[in-house]
Amino acid sequence: MPDQTKKHFLAEAEEKLIALWQKEKTFEKSLARRSKAERFNFYDGPPFANGIPHYGHLEQATIKDTITRYKTMRGYFVPRKVGWDTHGLPIEYAMEKKLGFKSKKDILNYGIDKFNKECRDSVYIYKDVWEKMYRRIGRWADYEHAYSTLDSDYIESVWWAFKSIHDRGLVYKDFRSSPYCPRCATPLSNFELNQGYQDGVDDPSLFVKFKLTDQDAYMVAWTTTPWSLPGNVGLAVKPDAQYVYIKLNQDDGQSQTVIIARERMVEISSESYQIVKEVKGADLVGLSYEPVFKLSNLDQYEGRNKLYKVWGASFVSIKDGTGIVHVAPATGEDDLLLAKQHGLPVLFTIDENGQIADGFGLSPDIVGKFFKKADDIVIEELTKAGKVFAAERIKHTYPFCWRCDTPLFYYATDSWAIKVTEIKKQLVANNAQINWTPDYIRDGRFGNWLEGARDWAVSRNRFWGAPLPIWVTEDGEVLVIGSLEELKQRAVNKSKIDENDLHRPYIDEIVLKTDSGKEAHRISEVFDVWFESGSMPYAQDHYPFTDKAGFEKHFPADFIAEAIDQTRGWFYTLHVIATAIFDEPAFQNVICSGWIVAADGEKLSKRKKNYAPMDQVFDEYGVDTLRFFIASSPLMNGEDSRFSTDYLRDVQRKIFMSLNNSFSFFELYSKVDGWKPSKKLSEPVSDNILDEWMMTRLNQTIAEVTDHLDGYRLDKATKPIADLIDDLSNWYVRRSRRRFWKSQNDSDKDQAYSTLYYSIVRICQLLCPFAPFLADEIWRKLVKETDLPQSVHLSDWPKPGDVNELVLEKMAAVRLAITEGLSERATKAIKVRQPLAKVTISYQGKLVLDEEEPYKQLIRDELNVLEVEFKKASKAQTNDLKVVLDVKLTPGLIQEGLAREVIRNVQSARKAAGLNVDDRIKLALKSPDSILNTAIKNFSDIILRETLAKSITEEQSDSLYESEAKIDGYQLSISVAKV
């Protein structure tokens, strides 16, 4: 069934404004009027356009648009260029799924040229959907001149960045162990590894016995990767740890001796054992053992005489396992380092597709099996051979490919890498220059990541990506290209160069000549897509080939924003590349936001349907509501925030409906009275205490919001706006209603109009960056006949005026006294419409409430009392302010209370009759009860004034509307006629 949700009038107004902005070119005008001003430089990280945007993208778009709108209003020139990530595994994986490919081999069989064309054709599938979303949420940016990572200009700048880093001696090729995806057949970076961990993965927990060759004892090693055991080349122990020989007595009367670390004796479950002797780990180093798998064809390996020995290693832990580590250099990071250190062979018993390799004499049952599926067979074979000490299952955290969800393992491969460890001090120092929001990220999550930073493997054995600009001669001479011009100059076969397409396989066909005259051929690898996105500051503007001086003038960025996971992604790669090239941070200010999660705290899931679709939310609540919710949430402090339409409903009601109601009130009465604002906007001056308070509250809020936005704290900036809108509606307008109702157009009424008008205009400006639609909708209606710009987005950010702290303090005390008084009324079940004789407000300490009549009148009106008495407390009291109501009801007070109820019912009748707020009426009130008639007679002046009645009679012939009411049990007939 199609969704039948009716669009909220706020949503309808938003859609009309989108069309109006486009027609009037409001965004272009906002840029043009600042074109000669100081530039505020903003970088936008590129998303992939081959998938549909979600709430996380909407969150980031909100943050970026809010800050850039604010800075524009503050007088800066803020160009906004969007971009698209078009390379890498996300694109390739989507295309493999479409084509039904299962492995890298399928791509090679299909043809790299055809595969890459398919990838190119797919990258913008949802570009229109993205741009529609951006426009619907009011995100202003230059969509016509977006950058794309597949463009030749972009790739050329990526080449320049890489060559610049290479020329500084920070690039090297190494045989190294990296996280590896067997399905994608390529290594990943350590920060990509962090994006794919899954909890609760069920794996074997295997304790394997390795028989020493010259002793009747077994060294026991623990592993959760039985599939790696065929590639075992050695064992590692901690040299300074204590190890014990333990004699185990078995049920069959036999015994055997095993060796483990003393601290790991908890792994011995046998009830009958004895410690034979204790040695240092160093004493075990050099011992030989029998391999658990007898492999063939080992004669071809250098260092084979070092196989199956015990080595000392600092990486061995005695906090888990047995304190003895099985070493498989092909599939372990520490293992490979130990093998390099001691010259051990690397046995590739797992191939690049994650399958158990042939050629080592392994059983046919295991050869060709996917590594994870080989575990059970390995365990079975070792158990039959008597080499298993214990076999269990555990649930632990395990890494999976962040794109294709395949389990990863470490794999030794040739990789081109950047020496991040060599510039770690500069990375830390440059990080200290960045203003992080929230600030704890700088030295916490991001700072800790930098402290543990490893070298970055930037090459990928893939197809669809910016090609690494590395050419190598037969004898190993390396040539790195940094520009298209250099490529042309060195090319032996220049006709092969296609400046419009620098991708594989065409780039692979270009042969270059080195300075020594040798021919060089390009390596097959492409860039890690994170290197491409991290080069975005330079590549989006084709630096240094286009406007070099302009770029350098505005680098680094003033502002960027993404979610907290990008501390291991885009934030990190930006920082590494900028530090490696310029020894500067790439950005000066960053908002690092949290994740939107479902109402129950779970991750948003299409499968679980635990969130409302975005379009439905837009239609039901309006984009402004969603934007304000995001900006005011804990997300802005790097925390996860639960998303529920209940929260949106509250925001819509408290912020947008409240402001709209205040505006509607102003619009209604100003039209009735024909009131018009001055051409030029200026802060009104008034002798009314409510106006004075409203202006000082407004100026206080402007100062607070400005301060928080300058500090990139959106959540802190939204609260003062929300509080001000509440104060405007529920205090200022409510307490000023009679000033607008009264018939005479005196100076007090004019002051009220001027104050309310000025307040709403300024609130529109404060709200504008967060909620660009309603702010502009109301603004346009307010400024039609003034000199103000036609759109709030073309106005300047307001400057705060004077803040009268004493007025704020007094009004706060008045409102507190009123709250206490109303609470007492409620406790004693006395309706607010029932007048009381007196309220006594006692206080201690500094005098805040004094004898000033305007404040007393506010208290009288709100508490509906005839007299207000201030009294200084003679002794200490629990609260600074104590409110006591005189609740004794005299006949006169009871009569006035009845009259107030009459007024309420007459006002309801006016509304039901469809009368305008300024329509005068003839009123007929008739009751069979003398008590009610007496009250009407004695308080007829109040009834006439409050209901805009010219007269009160018992009968009238020209009734417009009639109704019956019951007031405290008394019957009343009401007849309303228009004068």
Side-chain angles (χ1 to χ4, degrees):
M1 292 284 293
D3 181 37
Q4 300 298 319
T5 304
K6 186 179 183 302
K7 284 187 182 178
H8 196 277
F9 75 86
L10 290 176
E12 291 177 339
E14 289 172 355
E15 291 177 348
K16 289 176 183 176
L17 272 171
I18 292 169
L20 187 60
W21 289 343
Q22 191 169 356
K23 178 183 176 183
E24 295 179 352
K25 297 191 178 299
T26 313
F27 171 50
E28 291 80 359
K29 288 177 181 177
S30 73
L31 289 175
R33 66 192 297 267
R34 306 294 192 198
S35 60
K36 296 183 180 179
E38 180 182 349
R39 177 166 169 165
F40 180 84
N41 207 23
F42 161 68
Y43 292 160
D44 191 16
F48 288 101
N50 71 325
I52 296 174
H54 52 67
Y55 278 101
H57 299 115
L58 189 149
E59 174 192 348
Q60 298 311 316
T62 294
I63 296 169
K64 296 167 185 177
D65 190 65
T66 298
I67 292 295
T68 52
R69 283 184 187 271
Y70 168 68
K71 290 296 182 180
T72 299
M73 293 182 75
R74 288 279 276 165
Y76 293 94
F77 174 56
V78 190
R80 278 151 268 185
K81 181 186 286 189
V82 297
W84 305 109
D85 221 338
T86 58
H87 284 151
L89 285 176
I91 307 296
E92 289 198 33
Y93 180 56
M95 194 47 53
E96 287 183 72
K97 285 176 68 177
K98 176 187 172 184
L99 296 172
F101 292 170
K102 302 297 183 185
S103 68
K104 190 174 173 181
K105 185 178 179 182
D106 292 335
I107 298 172
L108 293 170
N109 291 337
Y110 184 70
I112 298 175
D113 56 341
K114 289 192 290 183
F115 181 76
N116 276 359
K117 183 182 184 303
E118 296 275 7
C119 288
R120 178 187 284 273
D121 291 344
S122 76
V123 295
Y124 297 128
I125 287 177
Y126 295 108
K127 182 172 176 283
D128 290 344
V129 177
W130 277 84
E131 290 183 0
K132 181 182 176 183
M133 184 273 285
Y134 280 154
R135 289 189 169 92
R136 180 61 187 89
I137 66 170
R139 187 186 174 190
W140 278 354
D142 182 357
Y143 302 110
E144 302 303 318
H145 303 94
Y147 69 86
S148 173
T149 59
L150 62 76
D151 291 340
S152 293
D153 283 354
Y154 194 99
I155 291 173
E156 185 177 22
S157 291
V158 172
W159 284 359
W160 167 85
F162 182 74
K163 181 175 174 60
S164 298
I165 296 172
H166 174 268
D167 290 349
R168 286 164 176 74
L170 296 176
V171 174
Y172 67 99
K173 182 184 179 184
D174 191 23
F175 183 65
R176 53 183 289 153
S177 187
S178 301
Y180 186 87
C181 175
R183 191 211 170 281
C184 301
T186 189
L188 305 177
S189 58
N190 60 322
F191 46 89
E192 286 179 297
L193 177 74
N194 276 271
Q195 291 187 315
Y197 275 103
Q198 295 181 17
D199 296 325
V201 177
D202 183 71
D203 267 331
S205 173
L206 186 67
F207 295 81
V208 183
K209 297 187 298 184
F210 293 82
K211 174 69 172 65
L212 293 175
T213 55
D214 56 354
Q215 296 183 33
D216 188 17
Y218 297 84
M219 296 188 73
V220 179
W222 174 67
T223 183
T224 58
T225 59
W227 52 265
S228 66
L229 285 166
N232 172 265
V233 300
L235 297 175
V237 296
K238 197 172 189 68
D240 57 354
Q242 294 296 120
Y243 288 79
V244 289
Y245 283 68
I246 302 172
K247 185 177 181 181
L248 301 175
N249 297 316
Q250 300 174 335
D251 294 339
D252 59 2
Q254 301 295 313
S255 65
Q256 65 177 207
T257 301
V258 297
I259 305 167
I260 62 172
R262 170 174 274 282
E263 287 195 28
R264 301 309 305 159
M265 285 184 63
V266 66
E267 303 295 349
I268 300 297
S269 58
S270 173
E271 295 181 359
S272 178
Y273 70 87
Q274 64 185 96
I275 297 176
V276 176
K277 68 175 178 177
E278 184 171 341
V279 298
K280 284 273 191 184
D283 298 327
L284 299 171
V285 173
L287 296 178
S288 296
Y289 64 89
E290 298 173 2
V292 289
F293 284 94
K294 292 185 178 179
L295 305 184
S296 60
N297 299 324
L298 295 182
D299 292 345
Q300 59 183 305
Y301 291 96
E302 289 186 24
R304 57 187 177 278
N305 59 316
K306 297 180 179 180
L307 284 169
Y308 310 127
K309 295 183 182 296
V310 180
W311 306 90
S314 60
F315 64 77
V316 176
S317 170
I318 53 173
K319 300 300 181 185
D320 54 19
T322 64
I324 299 171
V325 174
H326 120 72
V327 177
T331 55
E333 189 174 22
D334 290 326
D335 310 50
L336 182 60
L337 291 174
L338 186 141
K340 285 183 176 182
Q341 180 183 353
H342 298 293
L344 302 178
V346 178
L347 307 180
F348 284 93
T349 54
I350 305 289
D351 67 19
E352 66 171 11
N353 298 310
Q355 297 173 335
I356 305 297
D358 198 2
F360 289 94
L362 295 168
S363 71
D365 292 338
I366 192 174
V367 171
K369 283 286 188 296
F370 187 65
F371 74 105
K372 276 289 188 180
K373 293 183 178 180
D375 280 336
D376 290 343
I377 302 173
V378 168
I379 293 171
E380 182 182 355
E381 289 191 7
L382 292 180
T383 301
K384 288 179 180 177
K387 296 176 182 179
V388 172
F389 180 74
E392 302 164 349
R393 305 292 297 184
I394 62 167
K395 290 188 182 297
H396 64 158
T397 301
Y398 193 89
F400 287 74
C401 180
W402 65 294
R403 279 298 166 187
C404 70
D405 215 29
T406 300
L408 304 179
F409 59 90
Y410 273 86
Y411 199 55
T413 59
D414 282 328
S415 294
W416 290 86
I418 295 174
K419 298 178 184 176
V420 176
T421 51
E422 195 165 304
I423 58 171
K424 190 181 294 185
K425 286 184 179 179
Q426 296 98 301
L427 290 171
V428 172
N430 286 334
N431 181 38
Q433 301 175 41
I434 299 171
N435 172 43
W436 284 86
T437 301
D439 56 8
Y440 64 81
I441 297 290
R442 189 192 73 180
D443 299 324
R445 185 181 175 95
F446 195 68
N448 292 336
W449 182 251
L450 293 182
E451 290 288 353
R454 301 179 181 183
D455 288 355
W456 176 11
V458 295
S459 58
R460 296 290 178 268
N461 305 105
R462 295 300 300 183
F463 310 99
W464 178 242
L468 276 165
I470 300 173
W471 275 255
V472 180
T473 63
E474 283 189 5
D475 59 359
E477 183 182 344
V478 174
L479 179 63
V480 178
I481 297 299
S483 70
L484 191 56
E485 184 59 35
E486 186 179 0
L487 182 73
K488 293 176 184 176
Q489 290 176 357
R490 291 186 178 275
V492 173
N493 47 351
K494 290 181 173 57
S495 61
K496 293 281 187 180
I497 298 175
D498 181 354
E499 295 185 31
N500 297 313
D501 189 353
L502 299 178
H503 294 86
R504 299 188 68 190
Y506 314 111
I507 192 74
D508 301 338
E509 298 170 5
I510 300 169
V511 180
L512 303 186
K513 186 157 286 190
T514 67
D515 291 337
S516 59
K518 302 173 189 172
E519 285 193 352
H521 297 265
R522 201 190 78 82
I523 62 173
S524 63
E525 288 94 330
V526 297
F527 274 107
D528 172 9
V529 71
W530 289 102
F531 189 91
E532 295 184 44
S533 59
S535 300
M536 164 263 165
Y538 331 105
Q540 71 164 345
D541 292 325
H542 196 210
Y543 177 82
F545 310 102
T546 303
D547 192 18
K548 184 173 184 290
F551 169 85
E552 292 170 357
K553 182 180 179 182
H554 301 117
F555 181 83
D558 293 293
F559 168 67
I560 65 170
E562 293 295 342
I564 198 165
D565 61 311
Q566 295 303 326
T567 52
R568 268 76 162 153
W570 192 53
F571 296 154
Y572 177 70
T573 59
L574 283 173
H575 193 63
V576 168
I577 294 173
T579 298
I581 297 175
F582 296 112
D583 194 17
E584 282 189 77
F587 47 91
Q588 295 176 315
N589 300 282
V590 54
I591 294 179
C592 185
S593 59
W595 285 92
I596 296 178
V597 296
D600 58 3
E602 292 292 317
K603 184 178 179 182
L604 296 183
S605 167
K606 287 183 182 178
R607 180 176 58 82
K608 294 181 180 179
K609 297 182 179 178
N610 59 356
Y611 63 93
M614 284 196 295
D615 286 342
Q616 180 182 325
V617 168
F618 296 163
D619 289 347
E620 196 169 346
Y621 299 98
V623 164
D624 279 345
T625 300
L626 187 55
R627 285 180 57 136
F628 199 89
F629 163 75
I630 289 170
S632 60
S633 72
L635 292 166
M636 301 302 99
N637 196 40
E639 303 170 34
D640 291 348
S641 186
R642 299 188 179 200
F643 175 73
S644 166
T645 52
D646 290 339
Y647 302 147
L648 297 182
R649 193 173 294 111
D650 287 344
V651 171
Q652 185 188 66
R653 177 176 55 84
K654 292 177 180 178
I655 307 300
F656 300 101
M657 294 309 299
S658 182
L659 177 61
N660 193 65
N661 289 342
S662 294
F663 166 71
S664 296
F665 176 87
F666 166 81
E667 187 178 41
L668 176 64
Y669 283 95
S670 63
K671 283 181 180 177
V672 167
D673 286 328
W675 185 90
K676 295 189 181 300
S678 301
K679 288 281 188 183
K680 294 189 179 300
L681 185 69
S682 61
E683 183 176 323
V685 177
S686 174
D687 54 11
N688 186 291
I689 191 59
L690 278 167
D691 298 340
E692 186 180 355
W693 171 81
M694 191 63 223
M695 285 302 94
T696 207
R697 272 290 288 118
L698 178 63
N699 287 326
Q700 179 191 41
T701 303
I702 292 172
E704 289 179 358
V705 174
T706 303
D707 182 59
H708 292 316
L709 280 175
D710 284 345
Y712 297 89
R713 287 307 303 262
L714 272 61
D715 51 337
K716 290 187 175 182
T718 52
K719 188 178 186 307
I721 300 174
D723 292 345
L724 181 66
I725 290 173
D726 181 66
D727 280 349
L728 177 75
S729 174
N730 295 320
W731 186 246
Y732 179 78
V733 171
R734 190 164 60 78
R735 288 307 325 139
S736 299
R737 282 183 183 273
R738 285 194 179 91
R739 300 167 67 195
F740 295 98
W741 287 346
K742 60 189 177 183
S743 56
Q744 67 272 27
N745 288 323
D746 57 14
S747 62
D748 182 60
K749 179 184 275 194
D750 184 68
Q751 289 171 359
Y753 275 123
S754 297
T755 301
L756 183 54
Y757 174 83
Y758 184 82
S759 298
I760 298 176
V761 166
R762 289 304 191 202
I763 287 173
C764 285
Q765 290 178 301
L766 294 176
L767 197 59
C768 166
F770 303 99
F773 293 103
L774 186 62
D776 204 29
E777 173 80 6
I778 293 176
W779 172 279
R780 287 171 178 268
K781 293 175 181 177
L782 289 171
V783 307
K784 279 182 179 177
E785 299 179 34
T786 71
D787 293 337
L788 292 169
Q790 65 178 346
S791 170
V792 68
H793 303 293
L794 302 177
S795 70
D796 294 332
W797 186 256
K799 295 179 180 178
D802 295 333
V803 175
N804 189 326
E805 296 289 349
L806 185 58
V807 167
L808 292 175
E809 196 174 352
K810 286 181 178 181
M811 193 65 80
V814 164
R815 295 178 74 180
L816 177 60
I818 290 168
T819 300
E820 294 288 332
L822 291 174
S823 177
E824 187 178 353
R825 270 185 174 272
T827 301
K828 295 181 177 178
I830 303 171
K831 290 184 292 187
V832 176
R833 287 190 187 86
Q834 173 58 62
L836 298 176
K838 182 180 179 181
V839 64
T840 302
I841 301 169
S842 57
Y843 56 88
Q844 61 180 352
K846 181 183 176 184
L847 176 64
V848 175
L849 296 175
D850 53 25
E851 294 295 331
E852 290 184 45
E853 179 58 28
Y855 293 107
K856 293 180 74 173
Q857 187 59 47
L858 288 171
I859 296 171
R860 273 197 293 269
D861 290 344
E862 283 291 299
L863 292 183
N864 198 6
V865 296
L866 303 182
E867 183 184 348
V868 178
E869 179 185 17
F870 293 112
K871 183 178 177 183
K872 187 151 189 175
S874 56
K875 59 181 179 178
Q877 57 189 36
T878 305
N879 301 319
D880 290 338
L881 209 62
K882 188 175 181 181
V883 179
V884 178
L885 290 168
D886 180 355
V887 297
K888 183 180 178 181
L889 297 179
T890 65
L893 289 172
I894 293 172
Q895 285 185 5
E896 187 175 347
L898 291 171
R900 296 286 178 186
E901 291 293 341
V902 170
I903 291 169
R904 180 179 70 84
N905 282 277
V906 173
Q907 299 291 33
S908 296
R910 282 183 60 103
K911 186 175 182 181
L915 291 166
N916 295 322
V917 293
D918 60 333
D919 284 341
R920 302 294 162 174
I921 63 169
K922 291 185 294 181
L923 182 61
L925 300 172
K926 186 176 181 179
S927 174
D929 299 296
S930 60
I931 293 175
L932 185 56
N933 285 327
T934 301
I936 292 170
K937 180 180 178 181
N938 290 343
F939 292 94
S940 60
D941 58 333
I942 297 176
I943 297 172
L944 289 167
R945 183 176 69 247
E946 294 290 325
T947 63
L948 297 184
K950 286 288 188 182
S951 61
I952 300 177
T953 61
E954 286 194 358
E955 304 282 353
Q956 60 185 8
S957 58
D958 55 347
S959 175
L960 174 65
Y961 180 82
E962 295 179 354
S963 66
E964 297 290 325
K966 210 167 226 183
I967 298 174
D968 287 358
Y970 304 121
Q971 196 69 32
L972 178 66
S973 297
I974 301 170
S975 174
V976 174
K978 187 174 179 181
V979 173

